[in-house]
Amino acid sequence: MSGLSLDATQLDRYSRHIIMDEVGPEGQKRLLDGRVLVVGAGGLGAPVVQYLAAAGVGELVVVDDDVVERSNLQRQVIHADADVGVPKAESAKAFVERLNPDVTVEAHETRLDRENAESLVADCDAVVDASDNFRTRYLVNDVARLAGVPVAHGAIYKFEGQATTLVPGGPCYRCLFPEAPEPGEVPDCATTGVLGVLPGVLGTIQATEAVKLLLGAGDPLSGRLLFYDALEMSFETVPYRQNPDCPVCGDDPIDSIERVEYTGGCGIAD
Amino acid sequence: MEWKLFADLAEVAGDRHVVVPVDGEDEGTATVGDALDALLEDRPALRDRVLDDDGELREHINVLREGTNVFNEDGLETAVDAGDELALFPPVSGG
């Protein structure tokens, strides 16, 4: 077995990866050379950052404009009591520095918006959508698809979660949900509450998908929407197809987000 | 006919599983649209949540029949058999 450019410490740290044929030293090198954008360092983002950093994904770009609040700590497992009041992006970076010196975190204490989205997505091998609102989710879908970058999508509601992976060539988020619900139509976590462990399940599924995308291993959750229900303890997968009329990935796609309104239904002006 | 409801739709309707009688379900003449009408008749609170002002299903509400998206079949005209499981799901956004 060639160690490629892995040093002795890395061969030890990642030995349980490297021993598997599906990863091997080449796969581990791909993870170490990987760059992943994590949008949101909250409930979903916490396990995503934790597992991608542990796996040795070399560059994590973490975007979040919130600060840690005490009410986050029931589920946002990378932040600690002493981090209350600290920007989440900065707390995420500090967490990763304690976990794995192989990983560099680029922390952005800002919201992903139409001005910065393209530059944040560019040069990334994958995006993990761990955001908490439809506006950001449609923006991530659109910008990543235009840039040809796959997205591991996850979203939660009380005891339920949805996950799917949006791979160029396959359907995008708009093929499944052409427009967003109007603001206020679907209540958010602060209003409804959320089971603390729920984003742990969904976030680790997203992290799994991101690792698989970097490795080129297995079958991504593309064209399939996975439903998880914690109360029923059930997983269901439902297939969905690319929509030829989809404005982002259909037969006559947009070439920029210039005419997309990221308000209300996140529709595209004619 | 049994409907399974996801996320806030279950709360609006008051149940995750709703069984409604649908005309023609035993004769094989019922459609998904008929079953949806029966559901909304039984759970009127759901009507405003899933239909727009013109009475059309909102763009972000998906309908499944036996685990397949009906918009990949004949939409609301898709035939249903007694015993089919139908589901309605919206996107969720929490993170």
Side-chain angles (χ1 to χ4, degrees):
Chain A
M1 185 177 80
S2 147
L4 294 170
S5 57
L6 304 179
D7 64 31
T9 309
Q10 290 174 324
L11 288 170
D12 186 13
R13 182 186 302 273
Y14 307 116
S15 57
R16 301 300 190 276
H17 269 166
I18 293 166
I19 199 169
M20 295 191 288
D21 292 340
E22 293 81 357
V23 185
E26 299 80 9
Q28 188 60 52
K29 187 70 171 50
R30 279 200 289 277
L31 296 178
L32 287 161
D33 289 341
R35 180 176 169 91
V36 174
L37 170 63
V38 182
V39 183
L44 293 170
V48 169
V49 166
Q50 186 168 26
Y51 275 97
L52 294 186
V57 173
E59 289 182 289
L60 296 178
V61 183
V62 178
V63 189
D64 198 308
D65 68 338
D66 282 337
V67 298
V68 177
E69 296 177 36
R70 190 158 277 108
S71 63
N72 299 150
L73 302 179
Q74 148 259 28
R75 63 193 184 284
Q76 301 185 12
V77 293
I78 59 172
H79 309 304
D81 202 64
D83 298 320
V84 171
V86 174
K88 289 185 185 176
E90 183 185 325
S91 171
K93 184 179 167 79
F95 178 92
V96 172
E97 282 169 354
R98 288 194 299 276
L99 176 62
N100 189 347
D102 289 341
V103 180
T104 307
V105 174
E106 202 180 292
H108 294 266
E109 292 165 27
T110 182
R111 181 169 279 251
L112 183 124
D113 61 25
R114 59 190 307 147
E115 277 69 44
N116 62 21
E118 283 171 36
S119 66
L120 287 167
V121 168
D123 304 328
C124 285
D125 301 299
V127 177
V128 180
D129 183 355
S131 67
D132 64 357
N133 64 88
F134 285 116
R135 189 181 155 189
T136 304
R137 293 185 179 284
Y138 281 81
L139 179 60
V140 167
N141 175 75
D142 299 352
V143 169
R145 182 55 60 104
L146 290 175
V149 178
V151 178
H153 167 94
I156 53 174
Y157 181 83
K158 295 178 76 173
F159 297 94
E160 289 172 65
Q162 299 177 356
T164 185
T165 303
L166 313 166
V167 181
C172 79
Y173 191 62
R174 285 184 188 271
C175 295
L176 189 58
F177 302 114
E179 292 197 0
E182 291 294 322
E185 207 161 16
V186 178
D188 64 17
C189 284
T191 316
T192 64
V194 57
L195 188 72
V197 69
L198 176 71
V201 175
L202 268 296
T204 47
I205 288 170
Q206 291 176 275
T208 306
E209 287 293 287
V211 167
K212 283 164 57 189
L213 288 167
L214 292 177
L215 292 173
D219 300 315
L221 189 60
S222 172
R224 295 180 287 152
L225 179 65
L226 183 148
F227 292 99
Y228 168 66
D229 185 321
L231 290 179
E232 289 186 353
M233 194 43 77
S234 63
F235 287 89
E236 286 182 65
T237 310
V238 170
Y240 64 96
R241 292 185 194 158
Q242 199 155 25
N243 173 7
D245 299 325
C246 175
V248 174
C249 73
D251 296 338
D252 183 22
I254 55 172
D255 53 16
S256 86
I257 59 167
E258 202 178 321
R259 287 181 299 118
V260 188
E261 295 288 336
Y262 291 101
T263 54
C266 300
I268 293 167
D270 292 327
Chain B
M1 203 77 63
E2 180 168 352
W3 279 97
K4 182 175 183 189
L5 306 173
F6 288 88
D8 66 306
L9 303 186
E11 281 153 34
V12 173
D15 283 300
R16 301 187 59 74
H17 297 269
V18 179
V19 178
V20 286
V22 180
D23 288 343
E25 64 180 313
D26 295 321
E27 294 79 35
T29 57
T31 64
V32 171
D34 295 333
L36 181 62
D37 289 342
L39 173 69
L40 300 181
E41 186 80 18
D42 193 69
R43 305 293 159 124
L46 204 52
R47 187 177 297 274
D48 285 349
R49 176 66 187 87
V50 303
L51 301 184
D52 63 20
D53 294 341
D54 300 324
E56 300 288 327
L57 200 60
R58 292 184 194 275
E59 285 255 34
H60 65 266
I61 303 286
N62 275 292
V63 185
L64 304 176
R65 185 190 66 86
E66 293 291 288
T68 301
N69 197 323
V70 301
F71 300 113
N72 295 337
E73 300 184 310
D74 298 322
L76 296 180
E77 296 303 313
T78 304
V80 283
D81 295 319
D84 280 356
E85 189 186 81
L86 298 165
L88 272 186
F89 69 93
V92 296
S93 69

